[in-house]
Amino acid sequence: MSEAVQIEVRDRVAVLTLSRPDTGNAIDQEMADGLLKAALVCASDDGIRAVLLTGQGKSFCVGGDVKAFAAAGPGASALVQGLTASLHMAVARLARMDKPLVTAINGAAAGAGFGLAILGDVALAARSAKFAMAYGAIGLTPDGGATWLLPRLVGYRQAQRLALTGARIDAGEAARIGLITQAIDDEALQDEAFALAGTLAQGPRRAFARTRALLHQALSNGLETQLELEAQGIAEAVGLPEGREGIAAFVTRRPPDFRGI
């Protein structure tokens, strides 16, 4: 695995750590490739039941490596095409995999790091964390899935404000407008995020996967289409081992055990 993205599996949780702290975890080609490789491992390894994404050092991720863009000169477009090819495949795989994703936003999240931060099914941020799209300030346009995620999370007006003004907001405001799930005391962030990921890792993986898919589809489907997908999903789930275990646990008044399913 790339040194720029560390992966450690503990208690069926894959912890992915962006590891270029001296650059604010800026995304270069090595990190983009490393994130894609890590995402493929997480998606394909049945021993992994939940994923936690965080950053090393004081920042979560400050976005693309702008110094590398400048150094590339006339080759900057080709460099960015290669970088986004890997980054966007990684984002898509993390979004579509059949296991939940938690993001632990330990510091600044800007540019593509903004998109990665809000990608989590549950996004927890340190109270000291700051968020900014920041593209317009350097004459660039968003990437990393931010324009797909942002309106879905905060509404079109807030998305316009954040994307066009480059507003820099703190974790408290991010939680208030629905950009993140919760702001957490800095010293408690990693423990709380891992505990949550651990709880999700013990849950019904297939049901979680179907739920993630339904939520992704909801804003592009009509009511009848979504109702049909929900009907298909729950009818399938009730006959699967997870569904049978959950129902049996409910009627016998015991906690369900999905770990071996």
Side-chain angles (χ1 to χ4, degrees):
M1 196 60 62
S2 166
E3 291 184 1
V5 179
Q6 304 294 324
I7 180 169
E8 179 187 6
V9 180
R10 291 184 280 136
D11 298 330
R12 310 185 87 177
V13 175
V15 181
L16 308 186
T17 305
L18 307 177
S19 299
R20 297 185 72 213
D22 292 344
T23 68
N25 297 319
I27 302 173
D28 62 359
Q29 190 65 55
E30 181 187 0
M31 178 175 281
D33 292 344
L35 188 61
L36 175 56
K37 290 177 182 176
L40 292 171
V41 169
C42 291
S44 62
D45 187 341
D46 287 340
I48 294 171
R49 300 283 294 251
V51 180
L52 173 61
L53 175 63
T54 192
Q56 182 181 354
K58 296 181 179 180
S59 297
F60 175 76
C61 175
V62 298
D65 191 337
V66 179
K67 290 182 179 179
F69 299 170
S77 290
L79 183 152
V80 170
Q81 285 179 344
L83 190 154
T84 54
S86 292
L87 174 64
H88 287 181
M89 284 190 285
V91 167
R93 189 54 60 99
L94 290 171
R96 304 297 189 194
M97 65 185 176
D98 62 350
K99 50 205 76 174
L101 173 67
V102 176
T103 49
I105 307 149
N106 56 296
F114 182 102
L116 288 175
I118 64 176
L119 183 62
D121 300 297
V122 181
L124 304 179
R127 295 193 191 281
S128 64
K130 299 293 189 293
F131 299 82
M133 291 194 73
Y135 293 94
I138 55 174
L140 300 181
T141 57
D143 62 351
T147 58
W148 188 87
L149 281 162
L150 193 56
R152 286 167 164 78
L153 293 171
V154 302
Y156 194 70
R157 279 293 181 220
Q158 288 285 8
Q160 288 174 308
R161 175 176 76 97
L162 294 172
L164 294 174
T165 70
R168 185 171 181 259
I169 65 173
D170 61 22
E173 182 178 355
R176 180 180 61 78
I177 66 174
L179 186 68
I180 63 169
T181 308
Q182 186 179 357
I184 304 289
D185 290 342
D186 287 31
E187 61 275 12
L189 175 67
Q190 296 299 336
D191 286 344
E192 291 202 25
F194 185 79
L196 174 60
T199 298
L200 292 171
Q202 296 178 41
R205 171 180 161 183
R206 291 170 183 82
F208 283 165
R210 194 64 172 257
T211 301
R212 293 184 95 214
L214 284 166
L215 290 171
H216 286 153
Q217 295 162 335
L219 293 182
S220 57
N221 286 337
L223 173 60
E224 288 75 14
T225 298
Q226 194 71 9
L227 287 170
E228 179 58 27
L229 291 172
E230 288 182 352
Q232 292 173 5
I234 195 168
E236 178 183 341
V238 78
L240 291 175
E242 287 180 352
R244 294 197 297 270
E245 165 61 15
I247 291 167
F250 180 84
V251 298
T252 57
R253 298 185 179 182
R254 62 172 174 80
D257 184 358
F258 301 114
R259 292 172 298 175
I261 302 175

